[in-house]
């Protein structure tokens, strides 16, 4: 039996009015076998519907036998978005129960599933634009690997990688991806850095410089292990102490103007005491420049990233911005102003 309590005012019932209580049957969820693959998207699955604006909406429910997972005692879910050309969209996934109800927080941490028989996953993706009509989302159940504190580690796609605790700030030095974004590769996107034990976002992990042979990623000090996802090229990675070779500007709410030097493709900004719900805007005459803004989700999860173009803005609603970097695609010198209200 289910009990629901409400007042007449809450349902808009006035004197002399009436309401009905009914029972509605809903179709059962069709769970696919996740062991056969977990991919949705263009040229792979059919959209569940197409919006009036032409957006394509895809979703799927999966059932996975834990015995099909090689490393069930140490598992993380990694999502890889693939496409050629330019594309835009939204996507997410979550653990659900056998009725399709979300199990909050479970999808972001390292999990021990060895005591389970079956797990259920939900996956959703909306494609707004795609030049080549080939945008897909794939889920992988993986065992995360650890980045060596000394020497070089090779990272590859798909993968989730752990950085062990460090009392001092670090640089993560990633070999250049020559294929795109002036060598920045998939680091143009947020790596979803988060704590291994609870999946909550770990702030401040983002690219801060491009050198002749590498991308420098900022890694603040952390007392617990953190992890990040990787869906880019196979590249060498190493960790070194942050010696302030690559400075990071800081700002809070208000407006601040910065100067980009010739040949500087990334200009990093760490945000201080910026609350949720702000609007971030960009003013600049630099061509082929835009802000990339990492964000913390409403529930404190890994979040994602947003772009703001010149003379544009973005309202973060119930989310909070984490960091900002100006992506200066042509390496042109000039000024830009960031306003946070």
């Amino acid at each position: 039996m289910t009990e629901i309590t409400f007042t007449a005012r809450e349902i808009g019932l006035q004197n002399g009015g009436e309401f009905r209580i009914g029972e509605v049957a809903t179709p059962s969820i069709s769970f696919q076998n996740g062991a056969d693959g977990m991919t949705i998207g263009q040229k792979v699955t059919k959209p569940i519907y197409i919006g009036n604006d032409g957006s394509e909406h895809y979703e799927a429910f999966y059932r996975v036998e834990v015995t099909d997972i090689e490393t069930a005692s140490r598992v993380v879910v990694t999502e890889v978005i693939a496409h050629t050309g330019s594309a835009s969209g939204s996507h997410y996934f979550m653990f659900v129960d056998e009725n399709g109800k979300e199990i909050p927080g479970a999808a972001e941490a390292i999990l021990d599933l060895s005591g389970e028989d079956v797990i259920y996953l939900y996956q959703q993706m909306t494609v707004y634009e795609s030049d080549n009509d080939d945008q897909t989302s794939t889920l992988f159940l993986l065992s995360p690997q650890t980045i060596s504190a000394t020497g070089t580690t090779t990272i590859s796609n798909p993968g989730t990688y752990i950085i062990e605790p460090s009392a001092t700030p670090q640089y993560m030095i990633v070999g250049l991806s020559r294929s795109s974004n002036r060598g920045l590769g998939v680091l143009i996107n947020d790596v979803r850095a988060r704590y291994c034990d609870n999946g909550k976002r770990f702030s401040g992990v983002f690219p801060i410089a491009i050198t002749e042979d590498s991308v420098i990623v900022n890694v603040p000090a952390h007392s617990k292990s953190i992890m990040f996802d990787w869906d880019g090229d196979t590249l060498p990675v190493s960790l070194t102490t942050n010696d302030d070779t690559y400075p990071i500007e800081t700002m809070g709410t208000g407006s601040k103007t910065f100067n980009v030097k010739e040949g500087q493709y990334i200009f990093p900004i760490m945000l201080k005491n910026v609350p949720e719900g702000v609007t971030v805007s960009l003013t600049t005459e630099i061509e082929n420049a835009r802000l990339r803004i990492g964000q913390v989700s409403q529930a404190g999860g890994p979040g994602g990233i947003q772009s703001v173009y010149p003379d544009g803005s973005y309202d973060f609603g119930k989310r909070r911005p984490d960091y900002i970097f100006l992506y200066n695609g042509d390496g042109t010198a000039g000024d830009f102003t960031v306003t946070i209200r």
Side-chain angles (χ1 to χ4, degrees), residues 108-144:
E108 309 298 352
I110 297 177
L111 302 174
D112 180 358
L113 301 177
S114 56
E116 304 292 332
D117 296 322
V118 179
I119 61 170
Y120 302 92
L121 289 162
Y122 171 74
Q123 180 185 19
Q124 190 275 342
M125 181 177 73
T126 300
V127 178
Y128 299 115
E129 295 180 9
S130 182
D131 285 352
N132 294 290
D133 294 328
D134 62 352
Q135 187 172 181
T136 60
S137 167
T138 301
L139 301 183
F140 296 90
L141 296 171
L142 304 173
S143 179

Side-chain angles (χ1 to χ4, degrees), residues 55-105:
S55 58
E56 301 173 17
H57 300 257
Y58 300 85
E59 73 172 16
F61 289 87
Y62 304 104
R63 182 182 190 276
V64 181
E65 300 282 347
V66 173
T67 54
D68 291 333
I69 304 173
E70 293 184 3
T71 56
S73 63
R74 188 176 170 82
V75 177
V76 67
V77 184
T78 296
E79 181 185 23
V80 172
I81 303 298
H83 60 84
T84 56
S86 63
S88 65
S90 63
H91 50 91
Y92 67 93
F93 64 90
M94 59 186 179
F95 278 87
V96 295
D97 62 19
E98 63 272 19
N99 298 311
K101 184 178 180 180
E102 180 182 4
I103 301 175

